[in-house]
């Protein structure tokens, strides 16, 4: 049976060029600062983001958590979006690792405005925690891949600066945000004090993320990475694939965006409930409640037909387009879903 795996862009496999680069990578002990390939990746990543330094970490989660630990003090409050990965999916790391308290606030399709944030910054008061950090997710995963514009980020930065609060951007899919808006990632990253981005999603590397920021900040983060057991020794083997990802896999993200739009439009035309405003990048979130089934049931029905989608809520399923998914796969998927919808409507399922 043909399988179309649309659960996540994390399922992408390293390209042939990546595998060759991994095989040939020059390596050393990175904890001694002696892995030339890791160093090359960190310099490349920092340069692309327009930051002084970068740190290669095992995952996006590790990058975010290290940033939280380095930016905040125990008992601080962290402003984040209510559906953000940092709050929703990182196993309460804010509390457990950083010893900070989350202040989740809902954004508009995942996007927080400076106005919305302003009302949640704590005043100086002996009873209240200090607002230690503002976290933004760009693109916003659970909102369906929505993007912060440069202008929205500039307003938030102005607010944050005037309150002396750093901004951390979870830019797991920052290259998607930049591609969709036709701006440089540097322009988006400029408005954040630190930014994490993933090599192992749309860029297809097998493992790894980069955390970038000022030289001093990254020095501090290096210590926290060691604390978490993230000193990875001959990590050049995996860093090599990340370099290829940054150098060769960014431009093609526009194909993923086009495929997501084609899929979303096809699904809407057969009666699926999708907020098309959110279909800005490579993510499509559909609500299946109008078919009288849950997301779990929908995913199971799709799975039986070889279409893999992620359960994203009681009635929400997520499709993510990525390298390896071609237009034919999208048309095939839409065809299968149309057939299932027909059967459901006819009371056959
Ligand atoms: N997201 C994964 C799942 O954890 C949901 C996915 O399949 O989308 N920030 C954002 C915005 C993310 O979407 C993810 C991964 C991460 C951070 C964490 O990255 P990893 O998986 O490398 O720890």
């Amino acid at each position: 049976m043909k399988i179309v795996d649309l659960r996540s862009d994390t399922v992408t496999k390293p390209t042939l060029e990546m595998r060759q680069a991994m095989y040939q990578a020059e390596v050393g002990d990175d904890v001694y600062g002696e892995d030339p390939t890791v160093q090359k990746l960190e310099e490349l990543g920092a340069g692309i983001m327009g930051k002084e330094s970068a740190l290669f970490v095992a995952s996006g989660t590790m990058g975010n958590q290290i940033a939280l630990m380095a930016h905040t003090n125990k008992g601080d409050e962290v402003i984040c979006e209510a559906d953000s990965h940092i709050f929703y999916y990182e196993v309460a790391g804010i509390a457990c690792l950083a010893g900070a308290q989350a202040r989740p606030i809902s954004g508009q399709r995942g996007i927080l405005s400076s106005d919305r944030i302003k009302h949640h910054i704590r005043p100086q008061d002996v009873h209240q925690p200090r607002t230690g950090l503002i976290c933004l997710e760009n693109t916003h995963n659970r909102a369906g891949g929505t993007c912060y514009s440069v202008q929205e980020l500039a307003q938030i930065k102005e607010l944050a600066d005037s309150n002396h609060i750093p901004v951390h951007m979870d830019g797991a899919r920052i290259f998607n945000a930049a591609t969709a808006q036709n701006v440089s990632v540097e322009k988006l990253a400029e408005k954040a004090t630190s930014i994490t981005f993933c090599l192992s999603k749309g860029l297809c590397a097998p493992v790894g993320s980069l955390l970038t920021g000022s030289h001093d900040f990254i020095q501090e983060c290096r210590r926290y990475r060691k604390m978490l057991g993230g000193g990875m020794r001959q990590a050049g083997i995996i860093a090599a694939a990340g370099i290829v990802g940054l150098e060769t896999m960014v431009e093609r993200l526009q194909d993923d965006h086009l495929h997501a739009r084609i899929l979303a439009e096809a699904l809407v035309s057969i009666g699926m409930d999708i907020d098309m405003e959110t279909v800005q990048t490579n993510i499509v979130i559909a609500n299946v409640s109008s078919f009288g089934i849950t997301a779990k049931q929908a995913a199971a029905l799709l799975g039986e037909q070889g279409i893999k989608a992620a359960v994203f809520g009681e009635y929400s399923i997520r499709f993510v387009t990525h390298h390896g998914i071609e237009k034919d796969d999208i048309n095939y998927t839409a065809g299968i879903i149309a057939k299932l919808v027909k059967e459901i409507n006819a009371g056959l399922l």
Side-chain angles (χ1 to χ4, degrees), residues 8 10 59-61 64 85 89-90 137 139 141 170 172-173 198 200-201 209 312 318:
S8 182
T10 59
S59 64
T61 302
N64 285 335
H85 197 278
Y89 284 126
E90 297 189 9
E137 188 169 310
T139 66
N141 180 2
D170 175 355
R173 296 185 179 85
C198 294
S200 60
K201 296 194 166 61
S209 291
F312 237 50
R318 184 186 73 166

Side-chain angles (χ1 to χ4, degrees), residues 267-268 271-275 285-291:
L267 298 187
V268 165
M272 269 213 174
D273 180 9
I274 295 170
D275 177 358
I285 296 182
N287 187 304
V288 295
S289 59
S290 62
F291 301 115

